Amino acid sequence: MVQRLIVAGNWKMHGDRAMVDAYARELAACVEGSDHAGVGVWLFPPAPYLLSLANALAEAGAKEVSVGVQNVHEAASGAFTGEMSAAMAADCGAQLVLVGHSERRTLFGESDELVAAKARAVIDAGLTPVICVGESLDERRGGEAMARVRAQLEPVLASLAAGEVERSVIAYEPVWAIGTGETATPEIAQEMHAGISEHLLARKISARPPILYGGSVKASNAEQLFAQPDIDGALVGGASLAVTDFAGIIAAAQLKQNRA
Ligand code: PGA
């Protein structure tokens, strides 16, 4: 069962074994005893560290923190050198998979259709996909932000049943806000999240999945973002690499949880 409020950390291609152990111990100390029940804390390390991070978190007493991978191949197995399947990620402790992150789309040429095929594969392996969508700066300036996000969602909605979409997570990450230090204002993010919700409702997704905001989320802006009614947490890149920053974002989600 996916929590309603989620703070997810995407390490991208950062970290090493020493970081994994220290991070797990520090995070366990931060979340232990802090009343964070109801807020999902998810981590996406580079795949080679998945199992050791899962083990280190369990040893440190942070069993409730879930781990996942940043990408999978859409096939279950085969001659695809350098790739891994969702089932393999599950076998190594993953519960979650990022799908269609903007870096995968722009740097590795992943199309909307490929992203949908990956979401399908993740569901088939019994894992939860975090399906990332978001417009570029040109698309925003051209007034096409919502149309672009809808176009990204369309193949996903065609390949997943309504119940499967309801069990997934969506991350709205405007490309112009990722790694740039420029966060969408809470109003812009809320407008987009509400637009995504409406689109899902129109497509008969009645229990809408959590919609996370991503793009330069920090401890200092998380509370304002989470105050918006349709923002159900954050997908955090840079600020997830230091436990104190990440813990500050978890604390902001906890505030929202306590007010609910
Ligand atoms: P950022 O990355 O927080 O460093 O902007 C977000 C993401 O890419 O998911």
Side-chain angles (χ1 to χ4, degrees):
M1 171 74 189
V2 167
Q3 289 99 335
R4 197 64 230 169
L5 259 175
I6 296 151
V7 177
N10 171 15
W11 290 6
K12 309 193 180 185
M13 201 169 75
H14 296 292
D16 54 25
R17 281 172 63 190
M19 171 178 165
V20 164
D21 289 332
Y23 194 102
R25 275 195 308 274
E26 282 174 45
L27 184 64
C30 285
V31 295
E32 193 189 38
S34 74
D35 179 26
H36 78 291
V39 176
V41 180
W42 296 358
L43 287 173
F44 296 86
Y49 304 123
L50 177 73
L51 197 49
S52 42
L53 180 61
N55 289 338
L57 287 164
E59 266 168 41
K63 290 193 190 65
E64 60 278 68
V65 179
S66 303
V67 294
V69 292
Q70 299 169 13
N71 177 43
V72 290
H73 192 276
E74 65 279 18
S77 64
F80 301 109
T81 300
E83 295 289 327
M84 77 177 144
S85 70
M88 290 167 189
D91 200 23
C92 292
Q95 293 171 267
L96 320 149
V97 182
L98 292 184
V99 176
H101 186 279
S102 81
E103 285 148 22
R104 300 294 319 168
R105 292 176 187 265
T106 56
L107 303 176
F108 301 97
E110 293 194 4
S111 66
D112 298 343
E113 288 68 29
L114 180 59
V115 170
K118 290 188 176 196
R120 174 77 264 152
V122 171
I123 295 270
D124 288 344
L127 303 181
T128 300
V130 178
I131 301 158
C132 305
V133 294
E135 81 285 0
S136 68
L137 189 55
D138 281 352
E139 286 159 348
R140 170 147 294 272
R141 286 188 176 143
E144 291 158 17
M146 199 58 229
R148 177 69 194 113
V149 166
R150 284 202 191 111
Q152 288 171 330
L153 285 172
E154 243 358 88
V156 172
L157 296 176
S159 86
L160 302 188
E164 292 168 338
V165 177
E166 289 169 0
R167 290 200 303 278
S168 303
V169 172
I170 304 220
Y172 167 64
E173 299 202 297
V175 178
W176 46 272
I178 295 178
T180 58
E182 190 182 335
T183 321
T185 62
E187 293 71 28
I188 289 180
Q190 166 58 28
E191 188 187 16
M192 293 300 290
H193 283 227
I196 293 169
S197 297
E198 275 164 31
H199 185 61
L200 295 179
L201 203 56
R203 298 296 307 273
K204 312 267 182 291
I205 316 288
S206 45
R208 80 160 165 82
I211 306 175
L212 314 184
Y213 169 78
S216 300
V217 177
K218 310 180 223 14
S220 57
N221 59 24
E223 196 181 331
Q224 269 187 309
L225 287 160
F226 296 163
Q228 303 300 315
D230 293 310
I231 298 184
D232 304 314
L235 179 54
V236 186
S240 73
L241 293 172
V243 172
T244 40
D245 295 342
F246 193 55
I249 300 169
I250 297 169
Q254 187 56 50
L255 272 180
K256 175 165 184 157
Q257 173 76 13
N258 291 343
R259 283 195 198 112

